[in-house]
Amino acid sequence: MKATLSSLAALLFSFSLSNHAIARPADPLHVSGDYTCTGFDSHDGAFTGVLTFTVDERASHFAQSFGAYTFTFKVKVGEHASTFSGYAAAQGQSLAMYFANDSEDAPTDRGVGMALITHDQDTEGKFITTLHKSYYLPDYMRTSKEGKGAGGRGTEVCTKVVKR
């Protein structure tokens, strides 16, 4: 009886290890998480923000290097703060984005963006995900009284916050 119980325990332990070893990570593209961002907008100038990506595992197809995500971007330009929500699709190192300002007062503040995803090593040899983004807002400030022209555009760099 003792031999049977110890054999059963060893078998269960090996199953738990094998299941643990073959479990796939939630986001093998390493996009999901929190980022700090700095950027420059054609109308608003310099800005900072916090970007949060959440993976949509059901829509993603990681075997084909495709990831689907939702995100929020909390941006601060001077003393003015805004929150944008959106969707993103990653294929390898490319990321496409659609976003819109969550404020009801900004119905035309929406746009598209693209980013290059890089995984750079820090001074300790750990990999950090960085997004090098460009975006376009076709209607932003189109009817501005200042006459700044149609649409907005900008660039930003977002670095994943690494919890150590």
Side-chain angles (χ1 to χ4, degrees), residues 32-154:
S32 61
D34 299 321
Y35 295 77
T36 57
C37 303
T38 58
F40 191 86
D41 183 87
S42 61
H43 291 298
D44 298 324
F47 64 88
T48 60
V50 175
L51 178 65
T52 301
F53 275 94
T54 304
V55 65
D56 182 344
E57 288 186 68
R58 293 181 70 195
S60 297
H61 194 263
F62 293 120
Q64 297 299 320
S65 196
F66 174 80
Y69 303 88
T70 58
F71 66 90
T72 58
F73 183 48
K74 295 181 183 201
V75 62
K76 189 167 185 181
V77 179
E79 296 301 314
H80 181 73
S82 297
T83 300
F84 292 81
S85 295
Y87 306 96
Q91 180 72 47
Q93 291 184 279
S94 298
L95 183 74
M97 307 168 76
Y98 167 80
F99 55 90
N101 191 317
D102 291 344
S103 170
E104 289 181 19
D105 296 336
T108 62
D109 195 1
R110 61 188 179 275
V112 295
M114 59 186 185
L116 175 65
I117 305 164
T118 62
H119 305 290
D120 304 306
Q121 285 183 296
D122 65 9
T123 57
E124 297 174 9
K126 300 202 188 256
F127 284 94
I128 298 173
T129 302
T130 304
L131 306 176
H132 304 272
K133 297 171 47 183
S134 295
Y135 61 86
Y136 170 57
L137 298 104
D139 297 318
Y140 185 61
M141 295 187 79
R142 183 174 288 273
T143 59
S144 169
K145 290 179 184 175
E146 294 89 27
K148 293 183 180 178
R153 65 192 176 289

